[in-house]
């Protein structure tokens, strides 16, 4: 399987460390991994493709959606794994343009706004990194159409 990990960050974050550990395990299992992010600080077996995901301007979002859709087609990506709200927003649209599945990981609490409650950008499958985040998704964000899967942060 070819997996694209999508992050929006300009400096080292917990989601990057989480993704790098996950990529290591996925590569060991025979999967091919790509990582698309603004920056990459942690060494990983995945192929890094820089892209300004954190920039939420309309022009940049449209550019990123087009580039990611093209990348998914050209690389025959099977799964997009989004690791942030901005990444999930983009993955949600790309998955409608290209036949690719996506999953989101919530690494922290998200503010509850009416727009987020009406439209779930995180997808049908959401990974929570701890029980507290899983409960937050169920009770505060109330993403009714989502299945929540608990995958704790690993420690090497």
């Amino acid at each position: 399987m070819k997996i694209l990990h999508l992050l929006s960050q300009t400096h080292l974050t917990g989601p990057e460390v989480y993704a790098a550990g996950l990529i290591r395990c996925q590569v060991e299992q025979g999967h091919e991994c790509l990582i698309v992010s603004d920056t990459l600080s942690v060494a990983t077996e995945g192929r890094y493709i820089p892209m300004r995901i954190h920039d939420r301007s309309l022009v940049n979002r449209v550019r990123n959606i087009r580039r990611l859709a093209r990348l998914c087609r050209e690389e025959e990506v099977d799964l997009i794994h989004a690791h942030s709200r901005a990444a999930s927003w983009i993955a949600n649209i790309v998955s409608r343009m290209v036949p690719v599945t996506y999953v989101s990981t919530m690494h922290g609490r998200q503010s509850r706004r009416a727009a987020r409650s009406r439209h779930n950008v995180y997808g049908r499958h959401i990974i929570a990194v701890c029980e507290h985040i899983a409960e937050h998704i169920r009770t505060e964000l109330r993403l009714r159409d989502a299945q929540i899967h608990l995958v704790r942060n690993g420690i090497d």
Side-chain angles (χ1 to χ4, degrees):
M1 179 184 301
K2 191 174 284 190
I3 304 165
L4 186 153
H5 288 270
L6 185 60
L7 294 99
S8 60
Q9 59 185 35
T10 57
H11 56 281
L12 179 62
T13 63
E16 180 182 341
V17 174
Y18 179 94
L22 190 54
I23 289 168
R24 183 172 42 259
C25 292
Q26 291 169 336
V27 169
E28 286 173 3
Q29 294 174 357
H31 302 292
E32 184 179 344
C33 294
L34 309 170
I35 185 163
V36 174
S37 178
D38 300 84
T39 61
L40 185 63
S41 302
V42 175
T44 180
E45 292 85 353
R47 181 167 42 115
Y48 171 57
I49 301 165
M51 200 176 295
R52 294 178 51 206
I53 303 299
H54 84 283
D55 181 350
R56 294 186 289 173
S57 71
L58 181 60
V59 171
N60 193 62
R61 285 265 171 108
V62 170
R63 182 181 307 125
N64 285 340
I65 290 166
R66 287 182 178 158
R67 286 181 66 195
L68 282 170
R70 184 173 53 247
L71 180 67
C72 287
R73 283 187 201 100
E74 291 172 357
E75 293 285 339
E76 298 179 353
V77 170
D78 297 301
L79 174 71
I80 299 174
H81 187 154
H83 292 273
S84 69
R85 184 174 50 239
S88 295
W89 193 91
I90 293 168
N92 185 23
I93 294 171
V94 170
S95 72
R96 295 167 196 256
M97 297 169 61
V98 180
V100 63
T101 302
Y102 85 102
V103 63
S104 296
T105 294
M106 267 199 210
H107 297 274
R109 294 176 56 84
Q110 304 295 316
S111 64
R112 187 178 181 279
R113 293 188 186 154
R116 287 198 193 111
S117 295
R118 283 191 301 258
H119 183 69
N120 175 7
V121 299
Y122 299 102
R124 285 190 16 229
H125 297 279
I126 302 172
I127 297 170
V129 298
C130 68
E131 291 86 351
H132 177 73
I133 299 299
E135 185 64 20
H136 167 67
I137 296 166
R138 276 192 282 284
T139 61
E140 294 177 48
L141 298 181
R142 292 181 279 192
L143 301 178
R144 292 175 185 87
D145 58 340
Q147 293 180 13
I148 302 163
H149 310 274
L150 181 64
V151 180
R152 290 178 187 85
N153 282 326
I155 300 174
D156 290 333

